[in-house]
Amino acid sequence: MGLSSLCLISVSIYILSTIVLFHLMVANSLQSYNTPTCRDDEIYALLQFKQSFVIRKSASDYEGAYPKISSWKSNSSCCLWDGIECDDKTGHVIGLDLSSSCLYGSFSSNNTLFSLVHLQRLNLADNHFNISQIPTSIRNFPRLRYLNLSYSVFSGHVPSEVSQLFQLSSLDLSQNDFSSNKELLRSLAQNLTGLETLDLSSINISSTVPDTLANLSLLTSLTLNDCGLFGKLPGRIFKLQNLKVLSVRDNSALTGIFSNEELLRSLAQNLTGLETLDLSGINISSTVPDTLTYLSLLTSLTLDGCGLSGKLPGRIFKLKNLKVLSVSYNHALTGYFPDDYSGSSPDLMSLKLWYTSFFINLPSLIERFHSLKELDVSSCNISEGPVPLSLGNLRDLIYLDLSYNKFNGQIPTATLGNLTQLTYLSLSNNYFHGSVPQSLFNLMNLQTLYLYHNNLSGTVEFQKFLNLQKLTSLDLSNNNLELLTESRFLNNATTVLPKFEYLGLGGCNIREFPDFLRSQEALSRLDLSGNKLQGQVPKWMWNTSTKTLFYINISHNLLSGFEKTPVVLPRLNLEYLDLSFNMFQELLLLPSTSIMYYNIANNQLTGQVSPMICNMTFLGYLDLSNNKLIGDLPQCGRNFSVNLEYLKLGNNSFFGNLPQSYSNGSNLRMMDISHNNFHGQLPRSLANCSSLESLVLSHNNFSDTFPDWLGALPELKILTMDHNVFYGVIVKPDKKNLHFPMLRILDLSYNNFSGQFPFEYIFSGNGTTTITHDLEYYHFYSFNVEYYSITIICKGVERYYPKIQEDLILIDISSNNFEGKIPEFIGKLEGIWSLNLSNNILTGHIPSSLSNLSRLESLDLSHNKLSGEIPQQLAQLDSLSKFNVSHNNLTGPVPRGIHFTTFDSTSYLGNQGLCGDLLPKKCGNSEGTQLPPSTSEDNDSGSGIELDWKFVVAGLVSGLLVGVVLADFVITKWNVWFIEIVAVLIMFSKRIRKPRN
């Protein structure tokens, strides 16, 4: 290459460099020219605002949250700061977006933010403002068009100043802790007529929907979820023709214009432009009208828990724009996928049908909706069989729930291996068996995996879950797995473990507390119940995830103590602690004041309950039963008892009086203090417990009259007071409201009550007079479903019921001194299942009205002074399996029913006047029911041979044995042809014996 060529190249490079540099200088100058200059006073205001809050990662829930204000520096224009928007001409700050910025702290009215009077857009969503109220200084933003304060832990009342921001077109105050704001919706509807989007979800509005809401004619999106709305939706709301999004879910008292039944029909006929409709939680209680398919623009339809029934119109699946369909938790709703594929919705992305009665052909569903990203068919009673292999064709699935069905076989390895996008997978509560497939450990996007309550077996090395670094929720409980949690690799300091939030490892044959838990910092729920843990709970366990862990269950193990644990656990957030069914011997381990559920039943605890338990003011569930605790209960004040719903102290050695600590507003629903040594009177403050459903006082030493004052409790269904020293006559009170309206189980046995028992007063409510076919069990929701339990004597045997079915109706007033007659009124208690009036001084006849008790299985009237006959109508009681009238003064024949032939003679002992087939005394003509005479004719003896005469002749002629046998045949109602045979045999015998004479 020559010199001239080199020179030419050098000159070219120089010229090109000069041009590039020139363009960069021009671009920079243009940028400087286009970037508005931020005003000094606004820079100062923003920097002061920055100083008023601290950065806390936990203050924002959004995964991509970051502190935007960290980029704010005083040496640069605020218009270049993250989250700031300035006016191009004036330089004023007109937009501030600090959503998900990890801000923590309180918001005051004198915050410098309110000096930014030119703001048009303000977004502070997803921060933590420490239950501040929205400052009234919000009025300083008269130009504000967009305001979003959602998910930011504001509280109190929404100030009226918000409704004076007349330029607002978008307002979102949802998901905060605001108290009652009854006039909020009305005020906004009257003033902010330019609103286009409104979201007040989870604000306690507690009012009707004002008719003036129709003034918001520009509304395109209205979201009022869980606002406590009630009453009828005003008709004018259906004239909001611009409305595209309507979501009023979880307002259970909301109805349509005329009724719930026409709510869907009115919506479909008027709001034809709707794209999103969510009415979940509104008790519509009707079929789904065909007119709903008129909403041709629908992209999302959600009707969960609406009490829908009948058949879902198949044409819904042909709405071409439909992307999301959820009709879950409508158990009476049925339907099919249409056979005609033409015009169906091939782009349906989310289908949720859990707890419906839909007829689901899973292979057909998979073929039809191949674009699905979410599929939930849990609790749909899908018949037994394996998971179809074609499920693997839904490669876009991110959410799959097949739980609570009847799938069996092995979990398909290849099928799940194809679903690489899955973030949520639940196969729980099925009948899968075999090992956990290896393909699960290759689903790298998985965040939630539930395999609990199956028949899976084999050994699982926990370290395999390390492949799933996004996994936050894992539940393998209640299988036959052996989980290996100890390995050098797991305990290596350099090993990166998933950041678990929920770990369910119950019943996994774990023998030691998993050491990898030491490094977990984000756990919220931990279940290690039903394993083989033994010895002491290590000290480090109480330092695991101290800021987040609120649920700990280590019940049903072999644990005996705690390693150097302080009296009060060092936890601010612990709400649930279950230590039951172990071998703890120490005094009660008292959790922090935040505890709501505390169960330490079925251990070997001794000593007294510490008064420090009174500090547990948020306690809703307390179970100390089946231990060896002694002494008086601490005299806790009202603050302790007001939140308590479930209290079990049974099977200890407590003594003394029950504390008088129940005041108005008490939430107590269940109390069981049976099998202790409590004495004295019942605390009259129990009358304040208007939610009380079950009161179990059995096996104590209470000495008091009958608590008629409990009759005013509207929910009381179970009252057991047996084996105490209650006494006196039960007198009907003067007040009309003391009549036990819902009582279903009453046990007063083994006390000293006297006088007549007032059946009509105590059982005049609906509790026992109505036949119910309710198969539910008494329960309430805490962190889990909690069932009521009871021990009662039924059919002569003491039985423990871990769950009590709501149709169980039982009355036991035995072993007292009740007297008088059994009233005919007792026949009105049609729902009763067991009746025990034994061991009293009852007189008179057994009322025939007892035959009305069609569900009666057990009837005990023994050891009284009843007289007369046993009503023959009792033979109609087809359900009766236990019957005892022994030791009375009864006479006459025993009823001849199918079931009465199964009762042995002990059921009738001590009644000399009774006769019957199974009794020593047989019934004759004057007492028993006469059988029809023989219809046979005989030339020698004539017709109409008397029955008793046959017995005598048969005995004389053929001997005593033949006579007894033949008599037994006839008495026990053998057919007429047996009688004819007897007559023939008698004549034959006579002819044989005549020559000998």
Side-chain angles (χ1 to χ4, degrees), residues 225-293:
N225 301 332
D226 190 24
C227 291
L229 299 174
F230 57 86
K232 297 178 179 179
L233 276 173
R236 290 179 60 200
I237 199 174
F238 298 119
K239 296 182 179 180
L240 296 174
Q241 297 299 317
N242 294 310
L243 206 58
K244 296 181 179 180
V245 176
L246 176 61
S247 182
V248 289
R249 65 179 301 144
D250 300 324
N251 292 286
S252 57
L254 203 59
T255 67
I257 304 172
F258 304 108
S259 65
N260 283 357
E261 287 79 0
E262 50 71 53
L263 176 58
L264 286 175
R265 187 172 289 104
S266 299
L267 285 170
Q269 291 174 344
N270 294 281
L271 301 179
T272 55
L274 278 179
E275 297 176 4
T276 298
L277 176 61
D278 190 346
L279 303 179
S280 300
I282 296 179
N283 187 21
I284 297 175
S285 297
S286 73
T287 57
V288 180
D290 284 329
T291 50
L292 200 63
T293 60

Side-chain angles (χ1 to χ4, degrees), residues 604-623:
Q604 299 176 15
L605 299 174
T606 59
Q608 293 182 282
V609 177
S610 168
M612 295 184 68
I613 200 172
C614 298
N615 296 329
M616 299 157 63
T617 53
F618 290 95
L619 199 62
Y621 181 109
L622 177 62
D623 191 347

Side-chain angles (χ1 to χ4, degrees), residues 435-573:
S435 59
V436 176
Q438 294 299 312
S439 58
L440 282 181
F441 303 113
N442 297 324
L443 301 178
M444 309 303 291
N445 292 303
L446 209 55
Q447 299 174 17
T448 298
L449 175 59
Y450 294 149
L451 301 178
Y452 59 89
H453 284 291
N454 279 288
N455 298 317
L456 300 174
S457 58
T459 300
V460 178
E461 296 180 2
F462 193 80
Q463 69 182 47
K464 291 184 178 180
F465 290 102
L466 299 186
N467 294 335
L468 310 178
Q469 283 296 306
K470 296 181 180 180
L471 194 64
T472 59
S473 296
L474 173 65
D475 198 335
L476 306 175
S477 303
N478 298 299
N479 283 285
N480 299 312
L481 297 171
E482 182 172 0
L483 190 64
L484 303 181
T485 60
E486 299 302 319
S487 71
R488 292 181 180 178
F489 187 69
L490 272 176
N491 299 331
N492 193 319
T494 61
T495 301
V496 179
L497 294 167
K499 295 180 180 179
F500 289 108
E501 297 175 6
Y502 169 47
L503 263 182
L505 306 179
C508 287
N509 292 296
I510 301 173
R511 301 177 184 277
E512 297 179 9
F513 281 89
D515 203 59
F516 73 86
L517 292 176
R518 292 174 184 259
S519 61
Q520 293 294 313
E521 298 178 350
L523 269 177
S524 60
R525 293 174 66 103
L526 176 63
D527 184 357
L528 296 175
S529 63
N531 281 291
K532 298 178 180 178
L533 303 175
Q534 53 187 324
Q536 293 188 323
V537 180
K539 181 180 179 180
W540 59 260
M541 258 297 297
W542 306 116
N543 296 319
T544 299
S545 302
T546 52
K547 295 180 180 180
T548 58
L549 190 58
F550 72 88
Y551 179 107
I552 300 176
N553 186 351
I554 52 176
S555 65
H556 294 83
N557 280 288
L558 303 171
L559 298 167
S560 59
F562 309 94
E563 181 187 17
K564 299 179 182 178
T565 303
V567 176
V568 179
L569 288 180
R571 291 183 169 277
L572 299 176
N573 299 310

Side-chain angles (χ1 to χ4, degrees), residues 814-887:
S814 63
S815 301
N816 281 281
N817 296 305
F818 289 116
E819 57 190 43
K821 297 181 179 180
I822 303 174
E824 288 288 338
F825 170 82
I826 203 168
K828 295 183 179 181
L829 309 181
E830 295 183 6
I832 198 167
W833 182 76
S834 176
L835 177 63
N836 190 348
L837 311 182
S838 65
N839 288 284
N840 283 290
I841 321 172
L842 300 175
T843 57
H845 297 282
I846 298 175
S848 59
S849 61
L850 285 172
S851 62
N852 297 331
L853 309 183
S854 59
R855 300 181 70 236
L856 192 65
E857 293 188 17
S858 177
L859 176 61
D860 192 344
L861 305 176
S862 63
H863 292 275
N864 279 287
K865 295 184 177 181
L866 299 172
S867 58
E869 295 188 357
I870 301 174
Q872 294 295 316
Q873 295 94 324
L874 297 189
Q876 303 169 11
L877 297 176
D878 293 336
S879 298
L880 197 63
S881 59
K882 171 71 177 179
F883 180 70
N884 192 348
V885 291
S886 62
H887 300 286

Side-chain angles (χ1 to χ4, degrees), residues 634-653:
Q635 295 290 329
C636 298
R638 177 183 181 278
N639 289 338
F640 172 77
S641 63
V642 67
N643 292 312
L644 196 62
E645 294 186 50
Y646 191 103
L647 177 63
K648 292 191 71 173
L649 306 177
N651 287 300
N652 281 287
S653 297

Side-chain angles (χ1 to χ4, degrees), residues 702-765:
F702 287 113
S703 179
D704 200 352
T705 57
F706 181 75
D708 53 13
W709 38 273
L710 290 176
L713 299 181
E715 302 296 332
L716 187 62
K717 300 179 179 70
I718 301 171
L719 177 60
T720 64
M721 304 165 53
D722 57 287
H723 294 85
N724 278 282
V725 200
F726 290 104
Y727 60 88
V729 177
I730 302 177
V731 181
K732 181 179 180 180
D734 296 331
K735 296 182 179 180
K736 293 183 179 180
N737 64 330
L738 303 179
H739 64 281
F740 298 91
M742 297 301 293
L743 195 62
R744 293 186 177 183
I745 295 178
L746 176 66
D747 190 348
L748 304 182
S749 61
Y750 294 92
N751 281 288
N752 294 322
F753 289 115
S754 58
Q756 287 192 323
F757 182 79
F759 282 96
E760 191 165 357
Y761 148 53
I762 293 181
F763 298 113
S764 60

